[in-house]
Amino acid sequence: MSRTVDARTKALVEPVAREIRAATSDPKADAVAEREQASFDANELAVYMQGGQSVLDRNVKAIQMLKQFPWGDKSKRPFLTRTEEYVQGLEASVTIWKMANEGKITNEEAMAMRKQLNWPAGLELHLGMFIPSLLAHGTKEQQEAWLPPSLRLEMVGTYAQTELGHGTFVRGLETVAVFDPDSDEFVVHSPTLTSTKWWPGGLGKTATHVILMARLISRGKDHGVHSFVVQIRDMAGHTPLPGVTVGDIGPKMGYNGVDNGFLRFDHLRIPRSALLARFARLERDGTYVPPPPANAKASYATMVFVRADIVKNAGDFLGRAVTIATRYTAVRRQTAPGPGARELQVLDYDNVQQVLLPLLARAYALSFMGRAMFGQYKAFDAARARGDFSALPELHALSSGLKAACTDATSDGIETARRTCGGHGFSQLSALPTLFTSYVQNATWEGDNNVMYLQAARFLVRALITAQRGGRLAPSVQYLADEGAGARRCGVHDAAGWRAAPAQVEALTRAARHLAVQAAAVLRAAAGGELVFEGEPWNGTNVDLIRLAKAHSALLLHRNFLEAVEAAAGELKPATTRALRTLCQLHGVTLLVDAAGDLLEAGYINSTQAVQLRAAKRELVRAVRPDAVALTDGFGYEDYLLSSALGRKDGDVYQALLEAAQGSPLNDTAEGPAWHTVLKAQLAHSKL
């Protein structure tokens, strides 16, 4: 309802309003000032981090195309019901896929559209695991049969491994596929309640087929878990096949555009050809032919691929959160230091800087680690094609430990970044709560992080024993062979000395080796002098083993960051390289502050050096501060991708919040949806 305010009323208020306006800062002006003080060209860094100007241009084009569709309007998404979120997300995924298949856009443009839209839906595991599993484990004939319809979305798959009673412990899976030689078929069955498949994305209401992980039983012998392609729904009406019970598991903490599902089998018959048989096969008479010894663990390859992809994405998601929080805290002002003074930018408070800017460094470290991890997987994949699986043990340990370390860092980092934004960070309109709830599942899926750390630790303890016996070590664990490390002491004499890359690497290496020796000793003592890698001794020393895996992962992460920055120096201007080096120094010092207790315990540093370490962190935080906003720009994120009222590049956060709030369905009417049904009768007798 419009109304006119009389001149006298306006004049009464205007003097105080004018005074308040004069003291109020314009967040847009603060955003401009932040970028003007930067020491380097943020666009140059964005081009490098995104992989070229063509990628940035492709992202802009993708956003333009997305905005042509109703589901491309992100302003409505926070207010969708779960059903709307599922249906519209699936519609978006299918539309983008069809555009690519019909030649309207390139595959690269389709990937850019999916990333900028950022709407996980029912096709995630079809693209991320079903098709890769066919490529990794299917024979040529199986790929010819299933890949074309999969790529045309004439069949939609998912990956059904996790069960109600078993997840990371794959050998414990209870679903069985028993071979019937009379009919040349497998009988697939869920013999227990806990054998119910549970959690696969897209399984609930989308998938027509699954890659089923089940125990292969032939001639009465259990040959372990193998992968089968199994149809679960009728292709005409999309109803479950006889012998199949399937559905959605219900709402989750987040990720609700994906229909995670449950699946049970009641003596379902499938052909022998359903067994993915690139490496292991079953003959017509039921004779099991195992994979060659060199590639007996070929089934791990798909999981390694997925874990490498998770590592690659960790830096991206943390980068988004840190971008939102840094941009917001740079324009948010809180508390004037004195009468007549401007309120301080939140990012200028020491506690905020020392929390947020190390996270910014961590996001860059994770981004570079993701590139390296995926590069190593691709090298392994090329070797695997030649029948060479020799790199798998190290790669499995690397991908396990780094999957856990990177997803822990990102999950914790998103929530920490959200908290620096105060009350506005609690709003879905900031995008931070959704970013957290849609990401945090990475700490559990594809291997619970504690189990992943333990897998890495098993490799590390064995490598230490190999080193002590004079054996050959994989590249990532060569430092375990340094028998003289325990006698050396830190040579840093002041805070500035902790900035040096050699000092940081030596200290992180010492922490990791100290914890390796310690974990091995604790494990040996628990087992009565022997080294065993299972049972009560192993289970009783998990804490020491996980500490080892975390320290090793921290070493790898920082060492890779250092190498990546030096590699980038050949392509970037000196000013940009200097900004990255300072950020890398902050990352190393932050890791060492966290490891100070272990370094003191090992006798490597003394209390004075520990104090100097904290001083170095504070100095580096101050050094990074002028470049903070420019470094977030260096990730190359578009506002559309972030979809955050707080993370706007122009800094106009308060106007964005107010405008976004108008989209709430509760605002569709002036009186609100509860007036007629609840409030009207309650307030009818009010005397006010």
Side-chain angles (χ1 to χ4, degrees):
M1 180 183 298
S2 62
R3 67 187 186 92
T4 302
V5 179
D6 64 86
R8 179 181 174 281
T9 300
K10 289 183 178 180
L12 181 67
V13 174
E14 182 56 26
V16 68
R18 188 184 307 117
E19 183 179 340
I20 291 173
R21 286 196 296 268
T24 300
S25 298
D26 180 2
K28 299 192 297 298
D30 283 336
V32 171
E34 285 289 330
R35 293 183 172 90
E36 288 178 344
Q37 72 178 355
S39 68
F40 69 98
D41 180 358
N43 186 66
E44 180 196 28
L45 182 56
V47 169
Y48 182 79
M49 294 300 294
Q50 288 287 327
Q53 184 63 47
S54 61
V55 178
L56 292 171
D57 294 340
R58 187 185 303 136
N59 290 340
V60 172
K61 181 180 178 181
I63 293 167
Q64 292 171 344
M65 288 189 287
L66 288 166
K67 288 182 176 179
Q68 298 174 13
F69 299 96
W71 41 258
D73 182 359
K74 287 191 173 184
S75 67
K76 298 182 178 357
R77 204 183 299 176
F79 309 110
L80 297 178
T81 66
R82 186 179 175 225
T83 298
E84 290 170 338
E85 188 177 358
Y86 164 69
V87 172
Q88 292 184 34
L90 186 58
E91 180 185 3
S93 295
V94 170
T95 299
I96 294 170
W97 192 259
K98 287 175 65 176
M99 289 172 67
N101 277 348
E102 293 169 1
K104 296 178 180 178
I105 57 175
T106 65
N107 287 335
E108 290 77 13
E109 289 171 334
M111 291 174 64
M113 290 178 72
R114 281 177 53 81
K115 180 172 181 177
Q116 296 301 315
L117 184 64
N118 188 32
W119 199 334
L123 293 186
E124 300 307 301
L125 287 193
H126 177 74
L127 304 176
M129 291 201 72
F130 186 79
I131 290 175
S133 292
L134 294 178
L135 290 168
H137 303 296
T139 63
K140 179 181 178 182
E141 294 74 19
Q142 289 173 323
Q143 292 178 11
E144 289 174 348
W146 290 318
L147 276 177
S150 296
L151 295 172
R152 293 192 298 265
L153 289 187
E154 293 171 1
M155 60 186 289
V156 178
T158 186
Y159 188 83
Q161 174 173 299
T162 300
E163 297 175 352
L164 265 177
H166 291 90
T168 305
F169 181 49
V170 178
R171 285 179 294 148
L173 295 179
E174 297 172 342
T175 303
V176 296
V178 181
F179 183 63
D180 180 357
D182 292 341
S183 63
D184 196 25
E185 295 173 316
F186 287 102
V187 179
V188 178
H189 187 59
S190 305
T192 62
L193 173 63
T194 49
S195 68
T196 304
K197 295 296 180 183
W198 194 269
W199 279 116
L203 176 61
K205 293 297 176 182
T206 306
T208 62
H209 291 70
V210 300
I211 298 286
L212 176 69
M213 300 302 290
R215 295 184 182 183
L216 191 163
I217 313 295
S218 181
R219 295 181 173 179
K221 183 176 181 180
D222 185 344
H223 295 284
V225 175
H226 288 66
S227 50
F228 303 80
V229 175
V230 181
Q231 182 177 342
I232 60 171
R233 288 183 178 273
D234 172 68
M235 300 304 292
H238 205 60
T239 55
L241 295 177
V244 174
T245 302
V246 61
D248 179 78
I249 66 171
K252 307 172 291 289
M253 182 176 177
Y255 220 64
N256 282 307
V258 177
D259 55 322
N260 297 83
F262 63 84
L263 175 65
R264 288 187 58 79
F265 296 99
D266 182 5
H267 301 91
L268 178 73
R269 287 183 174 270
I270 61 174
R272 179 168 55 92
S273 59
L275 171 67
L276 289 177
R278 180 177 178 183
F279 300 109
R281 68 181 190 275
L282 196 71
E283 301 289 7
R284 175 64 184 84
D285 64 356
T287 300
Y288 177 73
V289 181
N295 59 359
K297 292 192 175 181
S299 60
Y300 282 96
T302 299
M303 281 192 288
V304 169
F305 165 80
V306 174
R307 288 170 188 166
D309 193 50
I310 290 172
V311 171
K312 182 171 70 73
N313 289 330
D316 182 36
F317 277 83
L318 182 57
R320 298 182 202 183
V322 174
T323 295
I324 293 168
T326 302
R327 288 178 176 176
Y328 174 64
T329 56
V331 302
R332 171 74 174 187
R333 289 181 176 271
Q334 188 78 36
T335 310
R342 298 176 73 192
E343 294 182 58
L344 296 178
Q345 292 166 275
V346 170
L347 190 54
D348 284 335
Y349 283 95
D350 179 61
N351 62 312
V352 176
Q353 288 183 0
Q354 292 218 40
V355 167
L356 202 48
L357 299 187
L359 281 180
L360 178 59
R362 179 65 57 86
Y364 270 90
L366 295 181
S367 295
F368 286 123
M369 189 72 250
R371 294 183 183 189
M373 188 75 248
F374 220 74
Q376 289 185 57
Y377 173 78
K378 288 181 177 179
F380 161 71
D381 197 42
R384 183 180 65 165
R386 303 189 301 269
D388 179 5
F389 284 78
S390 59
L392 183 57
E394 181 185 28
L395 184 58
H396 181 258
L398 281 171
S399 66
S400 298
L402 287 169
K403 181 268 180 187
C406 294
T407 56
D408 272 354
T410 297
S411 299
D412 295 344
I414 293 172
E415 171 60 10
T416 300
R418 185 195 68 77
R419 292 186 179 195
T420 66
C421 295
H424 291 327
F426 190 68
S427 169
Q428 293 278 19
L429 302 179
S430 74
L432 290 167
T434 303
L435 196 62
F436 176 75
T437 57
S438 65
Y439 183 82
V440 71
Q441 46 91 15
N442 283 277
T444 303
W445 87 298
E446 284 311 306
D448 176 87
N449 278 1
N450 289 314
V451 178
M452 294 298 96
Y453 283 129
L454 290 170
Q455 289 184 1
R458 180 178 284 108
F459 174 81
L460 292 168
V461 172
R462 284 175 169 160
L464 176 67
I465 302 309
T466 298
Q468 291 172 343
R469 294 171 179 171
R472 184 177 180 182
L473 296 179
S476 64
V477 290
Q478 288 289 335
Y479 69 91
L480 294 175
D482 186 2
E483 294 284 352
R488 289 195 293 273
R489 299 294 180 264
C490 177
V492 172
H493 300 293
D494 53 27
W498 282 115
R499 294 189 179 202
Q504 292 182 351
V505 171
E506 183 177 354
L508 289 169
T509 301
R510 178 60 185 278
R513 194 179 190 284
H514 168 70
L515 290 174
V517 172
Q518 187 178 78
V522 171
L523 181 60
R524 194 187 299 274
E530 299 294 327
L531 273 177
V532 296
F533 296 91
E534 58 186 3
E536 181 57 33
W538 179 264
N539 295 335
T541 55
N542 282 179
V543 170
D544 297 271
L545 293 162
I546 289 172
R547 289 176 63 209
L548 161 61
K550 288 182 176 180
H552 175 71
S553 298
L555 169 62
L556 295 182
L557 191 62
H558 189 59
R559 201 161 59 187
N560 182 78
F561 195 178
L562 287 164
E563 293 169 357
V565 170
E566 294 314 306
E571 302 183 43
L572 298 173
K573 294 176 183 177
T576 308
T577 302
R578 279 195 298 273
L580 281 178
R581 283 191 178 128
T582 304
L583 197 65
C584 187
Q585 290 170 353
L586 174 58
H587 180 258
V589 166
T590 301
L591 291 175
L592 288 171
V593 168
D594 293 341
D598 295 323
L599 293 170
L600 284 164
E601 182 181 286
Y604 181 70
I605 65 172
N606 56 40
S607 59
T608 299
Q609 290 167 322
V611 171
Q612 293 166 347
L613 194 53
R614 291 196 301 274
K617 180 183 177 184
R618 184 178 296 106
E619 292 170 3
L620 285 164
V621 163
R622 302 292 190 267
V624 169
R625 169 63 186 93
D627 285 330
V629 170
L631 284 164
T632 68
D633 293 345
F635 288 118
Y637 298 136
E638 296 289 336
D639 280 357
Y640 181 88
L641 172 66
L642 298 176
S643 191
S644 169
L646 303 188
R648 288 175 60 112
K649 191 171 185 178
D650 65 5
D652 200 9
V653 296
Y654 303 120
Q655 186 65 36
L657 276 169
L658 186 58
E659 290 178 357
Q662 307 310 308
S664 170
L666 295 182
N667 295 325
D668 287 349
T669 61
E671 69 276 10
W675 169 247
H676 292 290
T677 57
V678 180
L679 293 176
K680 185 175 181 179
Q682 183 67 28
L683 300 176
H685 304 293
S686 173
K687 304 273 194 243
L688 300 178

